[in-house]
Amino acid sequence: MENQNNGIQPEGYIKAPQEYFTGTAWLKPLVKPDEITNCTITDVLFEPSARNYWHTHPSNQILIVTEGVGYYQEEGSPIQEIRVGDVINILPGIKHWHGASPNSRFKHTAININSEKGTVNWIEPVLDKDYLGISLS
């Protein structure tokens, strides 16, 4: 396994809210919106097998993969494996989830633009049977 942390809180991170994540994930806010800056930028670190719930965004979200191996899936599409250097531009209203693969920690920088419209609409958990029953193409 790559870069295991054994659930110890990484420096500068806070634990992600369990009501929106399966497994252990950590958040490190980098930029918060204000009267001039209308975006949020957050590093999200997922322990192996951790993932967020299905969700949408009222405006684009851009993910930049910075560590490990992860998964990304849009509703109705196959799961995609994503790796360091990959960039995903998620359009407004697209139902999706992202998280770590079973054997690797995974980190991405999440950029939510036009934060005045809101940042996220949480829906429901990604079921284990769906996460574990993946078939990567």
Side-chain angles (χ1 to χ4, degrees):
M1 290 193 194
E2 300 175 7
N3 262 340
Q4 299 309 302
N5 193 32
N6 298 321
I8 299 170
Q9 182 169 339
E11 188 174 337
Y13 285 78
I14 57 172
K15 198 163 190 179
Q18 288 296 275
E19 63 265 28
Y20 306 124
F21 288 79
T22 299
T24 302
W26 307 93
L27 306 174
K28 184 177 185 179
L30 302 173
V31 174
K32 295 181 181 180
D34 57 30
E35 62 279 349
I36 299 169
T37 306
N38 65 343
C39 76
T40 63
I41 303 175
T42 305
D43 277 347
V44 185
L45 176 62
F46 298 85
E47 296 297 336
S49 296
R51 63 230 180 234
N52 53 30
Y53 283 20
W54 286 100
H55 60 284
T56 64
H57 301 280
S59 191
N60 292 51
Q61 181 184 58
I62 301 163
L63 302 179
I64 303 170
V65 180
T66 58
E67 180 183 321
V69 178
Y71 296 149
Y72 170 78
Q73 183 179 26
E74 294 180 358
E75 184 177 44
S77 296
I79 294 172
Q80 299 174 47
E81 185 176 273
I82 52 178
R83 296 180 171 271
V84 174
D86 288 343
V87 177
I88 301 168
N89 182 22
I90 305 160
L91 298 178
I94 299 294
K95 185 176 175 183
H96 68 284
W97 67 270
H98 30 100
S101 66
N103 298 315
S104 175
R105 281 176 65 184
F106 170 68
K107 184 168 74 169
H108 64 57
T109 300
I111 304 167
N112 293 295
I113 63 171
N114 302 317
S115 57
E116 73 279 2
K117 295 180 181 180
T119 55
V120 63
N121 303 307
W122 295 108
I123 304 171
E124 74 261 352
V126 175
L127 301 176
D128 285 344
K129 69 178 185 71
D130 297 326
Y131 174 81
L132 296 172
I134 63 171
S135 173
L136 297 175
S137 48

